[in-house]
Amino acid sequence: MAEECTHDCSTCGQDCSSRNEPQDLTEKLNEYSSVKKVIGVVSGKGGVGKSTVTSLMAVMFNRMGYHTAILDADITGPSIPKAFGIKEKALGSEKGILPITTHSGIEIMSVNLLLENETDPVVWRGPILAGTVKQFWSDVVWQDVDYMFVDMPPGTGDVPLTVFQSLPLDGIIIVTSPQELVSMIVGKAVKMAQLMNVPILGMIENMSCYICPDCGKKHYPFGESRLEAVAGEFGLKILGRLPIDPKHSTACDNGTVESVLCPEAQEAAETIEKLFCS
Ligand code: ADP
C-alpha cells in the first residue's frame, strides 16, 4: 500500500493490494432530468473555435428538430451565453437549478449565468472548477434533452479529465484549426479519450479556408491543411470543415449565433446525426 494512502484510487497510480478496481466516477444525473445523448467538444488549446463549433452544432441540431442543450464546462472562459445573447441569470427551484432557454429553445447552463457580473474572472482552483462541472450535470434540471453538447475546457488538464470521468459522454468531437500542430494535439486528445473509454466521433476543422465573398474562390491563409493525413494517422472520421467567416464572429459577439447560416456546419451536424441514427 502507498505510504500515505487516501483510499482514493482515482488520484493514485500505485498498484497495491487495496486498489479497488475499477471505480465508476460517473456523476448521477438530477432525478428530474433526462438526457439521451451527450457529446463533448474538445480542442488542444484555446482559440481554435471550440465554443463556436459547440454553438453551431447545437443550433443545427435544434433546427433539425431535436431538443438540444449546451453544458458550458469551459468554466474559466465561458463564451456560450454571450454567443446566444443571454443576459438573464439562472434561477433555482426545489427540483434544482433551471437552465436558461434561448430564443429558439436551446437549454444552456454556464458559470456566467450564475455570476453576478459576467466580466468577473473565475479564479478558482482545479477541484472547485471540476466540482462546478459535476454540479452542472447533477444539480441542473435538464428536461427531455435529445442531444447535449458539452463545451469542454481546452487541453488535457484537471477539468477536462473530470468531465471525461463524470459525464456519460457518448462521444467527442475534436476541433482543430489548420495553424495548430494538429498531429500532436490530436494524438493527446485521442489518448485521453481512449484512456477514458469515450468514443471519438471525429474531427471538425475550423477556419479551414476563407471563401472570397466576391468571386467565391477559396483561400488558405494558414497554409495547406494536414487534416486528411492526421485523420488517417489516427483512424478518425472527418466530420466537416468550417470556413473562416467574419459573420460567425460577429454573430457570436452580438449574441445572434442562432441566426447563422452555415451550410458546412449543417453538413457536419447531419454527419454526426447519422453516427447516432444509423
Ligand atoms: P475557443 O472556444 O476554441 O477558445 P472560440 O470559439 O471562442 O474559440 O473562437 C475564438 C474566436 O474566433 C472568437 O472570436 C470566434 O468568434 C472566432 N471564430 C471562431 N471560428 C470562426 C470562424 N469559422 N470564422 C470566423 N471567426 C471565427
Side-chain angles (χ1 to χ4, degrees), residues 9-235:
C9 303
S10 69
T11 60
C12 174
Q14 296 275 334
D15 187 20
C16 75
S17 55
S18 66
R19 191 168 187 94
N20 35 21
E21 293 278 339
Q23 268 184 311
D24 180 10
L25 300 168
T26 319
E27 208 54 29
K28 239 181 119 213
L29 187 62
N30 183 295
E31 60 175 306
Y32 299 101
S33 296
S34 144
V35 183
K36 290 198 185 112
K37 296 284 175 218
V38 187
I39 300 173
V41 185
V42 311
S43 70
K45 64 177 172 70
V48 302
K50 175 181 52 64
S51 303
T52 305
V53 170
T54 307
S55 305
L56 287 174
M57 287 307 113
V59 167
M60 300 303 157
F61 268 76
N62 183 53
R63 280 185 201 159
M64 291 193 277
Y66 293 109
H67 190 204
T68 307
I70 302 179
L71 188 160
D72 186 359
D74 196 350
I75 306 286
T76 55
S79 44
I80 299 294
K82 191 163 192 281
F84 285 84
I86 299 173
K87 299 264 187 306
E88 59 266 55
K89 299 292 161 207
L91 299 173
S93 73
E94 70 276 12
K95 292 178 178 172
I97 308 168
L98 303 173
I100 297 280
T101 310
T102 69
H103 304 294
S104 68
I106 300 171
E107 312 281 356
I108 291 185
M109 182 46 64
S110 166
V111 77
N112 262 9
L113 306 179
L114 304 172
L115 296 176
E116 206 170 304
N117 188 343
E118 66 167 20
T119 53
D120 285 347
V122 175
V123 277
W124 302 339
R125 293 195 189 275
I128 308 283
L129 297 173
T132 307
V133 177
K134 287 189 201 171
Q135 278 186 285
F136 282 178
W137 180 251
S138 60
D139 295 1
V140 172
V141 184
W142 299 106
Q143 259 166 350
D144 299 320
V145 171
D146 295 314
Y147 284 93
M148 173 186 276
F149 291 88
V150 182
D151 189 5
M152 305 271 263
T156 50
D158 205 16
V159 189
L161 188 68
T162 302
V163 181
F164 268 104
Q165 285 181 327
S166 339
L167 269 52
L169 293 169
D170 292 284
I172 59 159
I173 299 168
I174 303 174
V175 180
T176 62
S177 65
Q179 72 268 44
E180 272 187 293
L181 294 167
V182 175
S183 179
M184 185 192 76
I185 283 171
V186 171
K188 283 186 197 290
V190 168
K191 283 212 182 101
M192 186 156 174
Q194 282 169 345
L195 276 172
M196 300 290 157
N197 264 330
V198 176
I200 302 168
L201 303 178
M203 296 166 70
I204 293 185
E205 185 176 69
N206 187 36
M207 308 196 215
S208 203
C209 65
Y210 176 72
I211 305 171
C212 173
D214 298 322
C215 67
K217 189 167 182 252
K218 283 187 181 172
H219 298 273
Y220 298 88
F222 302 119
E224 217 178 291
S225 159
R226 293 202 52 244
L227 184 67
E228 248 145 57
V230 174
E233 185 183 337
F234 294 100

